Amino acid sequence: MPLFGRRRTAPWPVGAARRARESLQEELEAFVASRAGVEAFLEPASATSGLSLLLVAGDGESTRRPVDSPKAANRLAAALGVPLYEVNRVGYPQRMRDYALRQQGRRPRSPFSTAAPSADDREPAAPTAYSSPREREAIAVLERAAGDEAGSGAADEEALGRLFRRARAASHPDRFDGDRLRWDEVEQAGRVLGL
């Protein structure tokens, strides 16, 4: 038995790191070759993931891969022949959000349109009556938290959204009279109602 009961693990084989980098580059090259208008975005490290390179095609489809450093991301973008932007400076492109909406079967609105959406652009109307006992109880929790004792009569989704925002503001734990348990109840009620 080794000292202190620990086994040592063998280090990676010498060529494994190089093969992993080559495999990553091949995957990204295939993405760039099969799509038009691809741009690269450098995403900063977060609490859950490290530094990553996001490739976004002209239609909004994207792929994300981890990178070791900003310098490595710059070299990779140059090798792929795509421009590189920092997400912290320019943000995420709108076409990514539009692509996600299209994948959900919804039509994205033009950011330049000032007209109300047409009947074709509107999402299917949500049911106006929340009929299950669980949904009615969730609405009652929101009304109590918002201080609406008479009952708001929140029948449509817009009124329910306003009630939910008021309930969250009234029960926020950082407020002087805020209560964490009431906040959790409000959040659970929002999940039940799909808010």
Side-chain angles (χ1 to χ4, degrees):
M1 186 160 136
L3 186 60
F4 301 115
R6 290 183 179 209
R7 276 191 279 163
R8 294 183 182 246
T9 58
W12 273 36
V14 176
R18 191 180 86 222
R19 283 193 301 273
R21 280 193 307 271
E22 289 172 356
S23 172
L24 168 71
Q25 187 163 347
E26 288 172 5
E27 290 173 15
L28 296 180
E29 283 174 353
F31 184 85
V32 170
S34 62
R35 290 156 183 88
V38 177
E39 294 176 328
F41 294 86
L42 181 63
E43 296 179 308
S46 68
T48 58
S49 64
L51 193 68
S52 59
L53 184 69
L54 174 72
L55 294 183
V56 182
D59 67 346
E61 186 179 1
S62 63
T63 185
R64 178 179 286 115
R65 296 293 186 272
V67 290
D68 297 330
S69 66
K71 199 177 270 189
N74 199 5
R75 281 194 308 265
L76 190 55
L80 296 171
V82 297
L84 177 66
Y85 305 101
E86 288 185 43
V87 167
N88 282 346
R89 293 186 183 200
V90 299
Y92 290 98
Q94 178 64 39
R95 64 182 183 271
M96 276 182 63
R97 291 182 281 279
D98 293 344
Y99 182 82
L101 288 174
R102 285 193 303 272
Q103 294 303 310
Q104 296 170 5
R106 296 168 29 193
R107 288 181 55 185
R109 280 189 64 200
S110 168
F112 304 109
S113 173
T114 57
S118 67
D120 296 337
D121 292 340
R122 289 189 201 120
E123 296 176 32
T128 57
Y130 292 92
S131 58
S132 77
R134 195 167 170 218
E135 290 171 336
R136 286 194 304 266
E137 177 58 32
I139 292 172
V141 166
L142 294 179
E143 289 172 344
R144 282 193 303 270
D148 193 1
E149 299 301 330
S152 65
D156 64 344
E157 193 171 338
E158 186 177 324
L160 200 56
R162 285 193 302 269
L163 176 65
F164 178 61
R165 288 189 294 276
R166 281 196 344 255
R168 287 185 80 209
S171 64
H172 198 280
D174 290 344
R175 289 176 53 105
F176 176 70
D177 59 342
D179 180 12
R180 181 63 191 199
L181 294 176
R182 189 168 57 174
W183 169 264
D184 291 340
E185 288 176 355
V186 167
E187 291 296 308
Q188 178 61 31
R191 282 192 291 276
V192 166
L193 296 168
L195 301 173

